[in-house]
Amino acid sequence: MRTDSALSRLKDGELCIVTTSHGEHEARWSVSGWCFFILHRGTPTICPPEDIEEWRPASMDMTRRL
């Protein structure tokens, strides 16, 4: 496990909000792949790290309502 970043605190499969130049996307974190997967048209797609402007756990998203 990589312990040198905030990503190491995410749980496997944790839902996050990833911001890219194309907008915000819901993504799942993969510990084994050390990457975010965005569900695009029903297919999980790896989000290249260089495309990510920022990310946050979805639990921190104040605009999300139950």
Side-chain angles (χ1 to χ4, degrees), residues 1-10 29 34 36 55:
M1 177 163 79
R2 300 176 192 182
T3 59
D4 58 343
S5 76
L7 293 172
S8 65
R9 297 182 182 262
L10 293 176
W29 175 246
W34 203 257
F36 287 104
W55 64 269

Side-chain angles (χ1 to χ4, degrees), residues 15-27 37-40 47 51-58 60-64:
L15 185 62
C16 294
I17 305 299
V18 174
T19 304
T20 68
S21 60
H22 301 289
E24 287 190 348
H25 309 278
E26 287 189 348
F37 284 94
I38 295 175
L39 191 62
H40 181 68
C47 183
D51 291 354
I52 299 173
E53 295 173 0
E54 69 177 29
W55 64 269
R56 66 187 179 278
M60 293 180 65
D61 190 2
M62 301 305 288
T63 61
R64 207 176 156 122

Side-chain angles (χ1 to χ4, degrees), residues 11-12 23 31 34 49 51 57:
K11 296 178 181 139
D12 194 40
V31 171
W34 203 257
D51 291 354

